Amino acid sequence: SDSLVVCEVDPELKEKLRKFRFRKETDNAAIIMKVDKERQMVVLEEEYQNISPEELKLELPERQPRFVVYSYKYVHADGRVSYPLCFIFSSPVGCKPEQQMMYAGSKNRLVQTAELTKVFEIRTTDDLTEAWLQDKLSFFR
């Protein structure tokens, strides 16, 4: 598949992701990233502090893919609290195929760059809820 474009990760974004990994805050926070088609690069779109899954869902475009790194305060069934970093690939049904290819082709590089293990995909922004996220995270005990 010669047409598969794998986008580089913007150096500034790499640094931001590195800092995000080691943040000390205990609120939910998100970094939303998009592909800059001209530069063929994954770049920062927006950063949020203290944002719930439901609020985050409203920030994602319904017709365009996005990458999200989400630091989530997760309370386990036994009462322990952890702060997993989740990578969420929002790839809504109805995106342009070329756009979907660019995002799909760049996803693994971005996951490796950010060194994330909890990688999820949603096909509609409506899927992004607290219950959905907790369900996904329950597999990572």
Side-chain angles (χ1 to χ4, degrees):
S1 69
D2 295 332
S3 62
L4 188 62
V5 177
V6 178
C7 299
E8 291 300 324
V9 180
D10 181 21
E12 286 175 27
L13 177 60
K14 280 184 188 172
E15 181 57 22
K16 189 163 284 290
L17 287 168
R18 194 187 63 74
K19 287 189 174 135
F20 194 71
R21 271 183 86 81
F22 299 110
R23 66 194 284 277
K24 299 284 181 271
E25 295 81 1
T26 55
D27 61 341
N28 295 343
I31 290 179
I32 298 180
M33 297 154 286
K34 65 180 183 180
V35 168
D36 177 338
K37 218 165 71 180
E38 311 306 301
R39 294 164 55 206
Q40 295 200 341
M41 199 170 271
V42 179
V43 297
L44 174 71
E45 181 171 60
E46 203 61 68
E47 219 175 338
Y48 297 95
Q49 301 296 325
N50 198 12
I51 184 167
S52 72
E54 280 74 13
E55 292 165 325
L56 180 57
K57 157 172 77 183
L58 300 175
E59 300 300 332
L60 294 172
E62 281 179 30
R63 295 267 177 267
Q64 292 177 353
R66 285 295 181 272
F67 298 124
V68 181
V69 176
Y70 190 41
S71 174
Y72 176 67
K73 181 177 180 178
Y74 181 52
V75 182
H76 298 259
D78 62 7
R80 287 177 305 118
V81 175
S82 64
Y83 300 92
L85 276 184
C86 307
F87 182 90
I88 302 168
F89 176 29
S90 172
S91 174
V93 178
C95 302
K96 295 191 187 105
E98 69 183 67
Q99 218 180 12
Q100 245 164 345
M101 295 254 309
M102 280 181 96
Y103 276 83
S106 306
K107 179 182 127 194
N108 289 347
R109 170 155 308 158
L110 186 56
V111 168
Q112 287 165 344
T113 300
E115 298 175 52
L116 299 172
T117 54
K118 296 167 181 66
V119 180
F120 312 126
E121 188 167 335
I122 53 175
R123 300 295 288 163
T124 161
T125 52
D126 289 344
D127 289 348
L128 185 55
T129 63
E130 193 106 26
W132 173 85
L133 191 57
Q134 290 181 351
D135 182 55
K136 291 289 185 196
L137 288 169
S138 67
F139 292 110
F140 282 97
R141 284 192 194 72

